Structure formats: C-alpha cells, structure tokens
Amino acid sequence: MSDSLGQMNHNLEGLKSDLNEVTKGRDCLDSEVLVLKEQLEMAQAVAEENEAIAIEARQMAEARKNYAEEEEVKLLEKSVEELEYTINGELVKGEAERQRLQREELEGDPTETVHVEGYVAVHVHLYLVLKTLNRPLIVLLILC
C-alpha cells in the first residue's frame, strides 16, 4: 500500500508540476496578448493620424487648386480686357484708315496703300486668347 501511496504522491506531484507549467504558459500568453493589444492600439492611432494628415493634404490641394483657378480666371479676364482695348484701338485705326482711303479715292490719289499688319496681329492675339478660353473662334471682318 505504501507503494501505491508513493505512486499516487508521485502522480500528484507530476500533475502539480504540469499545472504550474500550463499556468506559466498561460501567463506568458496573457503577457504577449497585452503587448500585441498595445501594438495594435498604437498602429490604429498612427493610421488615424495618417488619415487625418491625408484629409488635410487633400483639403489644402483643393484650396490651392481653387486659388489657381481663380487666378487663371482673373488673368484671362484681364487678357480679354486688354484684347478688347486693342481691338477697339485697332477698329478706330481701321476706321480712320478706311476714311483716309475713301478720301484719297475721292480725291483721286493713285498711291493707295492698305496696312494689314495691325489687323493680322489683332486676329492672331484674338485667336490665341479664345483658344486658351476654349471658346469658339470669332472672326472679325472689317470691310473697307
């Protein structure tokens, strides 16, 4: 009987030892889980921060794009104003030239000259501005 009691004691000690090992393993795994949870929380915080930075960057890019578009509109409006001023000036010059030619024709002056350079420059400038604005090309015909 003492042999069987010794065997039971030995078995009981073995079970206690196994239980201690399992408990230590569980505690080690619990510690690992805590470390992994902390790492996950840090990764989530970094991801949220990166998302906030990305949103802010998109907003800044949109604001800069809008500003650039507004500046482009202002520039194109100024260019159109300058073109209108130039066209008006060229029209006045053209009308004066037409009247001079009519006067010379009535007076019988055989040295008629037509100055086309100014009209070509206005037409080229108008074409370039309208092309930039993506507007249909307007053709100005001035009959003399």
Side-chain angles (χ1 to χ4, degrees):
M1 190 154 213
S2 114
D3 216 16
S4 104
L5 209 52
Q7 185 64 30
M8 285 170 88
N9 236 0
H10 179 64
N11 286 343
L12 185 59
E13 289 298 320
L15 287 174
K16 282 182 182 180
S17 174
D18 290 346
L19 180 61
N20 281 338
E21 285 182 37
V22 168
T23 303
K24 285 180 184 178
R26 183 201 63 203
D27 291 344
C28 184
L29 290 174
D30 283 343
S31 295
E32 253 186 80
V33 166
L34 287 176
V35 168
L36 291 173
K37 281 184 179 179
E38 289 174 2
Q39 289 176 346
L40 175 63
E41 288 172 1
M42 288 186 338
Q44 287 173 334
V46 168
E48 289 173 4
E49 184 178 338
N50 287 341
E51 184 178 347
I53 290 170
I55 289 171
E56 185 178 347
R58 279 193 295 273
Q59 290 172 343
M60 287 178 64
E62 186 66 28
R64 287 180 179 160
K65 177 184 168 198
N66 290 339
Y67 176 77
E69 287 173 352
E70 289 171 5
E71 289 300 310
E72 182 181 17
V73 167
K74 288 177 186 177
L75 182 64
L76 291 174
E77 286 173 348
K78 184 178 179 183
S79 181
V80 167
E81 288 173 5
E82 289 174 358
L83 178 61
E84 288 173 347
Y85 177 78
T86 302
I87 289 173
N88 288 336
E90 290 298 318
L91 289 175
V92 169
K93 288 179 189 176
E95 180 62 23
E97 180 68 16
R98 187 185 67 74
Q99 289 177 5
R100 184 187 66 76
L101 291 173
Q102 278 181 341
R103 207 173 32 252
E104 287 177 0
E105 189 177 305
L106 290 174
E107 294 171 357
D109 187 357
T111 59
E112 288 186 29
T113 57
V114 178
H115 299 287
V116 181
E117 298 86 17
Y119 295 114
V120 172
V122 169
H123 289 165
V124 169
H125 185 68
L126 177 63
Y127 172 78
L128 292 175
V129 169
L130 293 175
K131 186 175 178 182
T132 303
L133 292 171
N134 290 326
R135 302 274 194 257
L137 181 62
I138 300 170
V139 178
L140 296 176
L141 295 177
I142 303 172
L143 300 175
C144 295

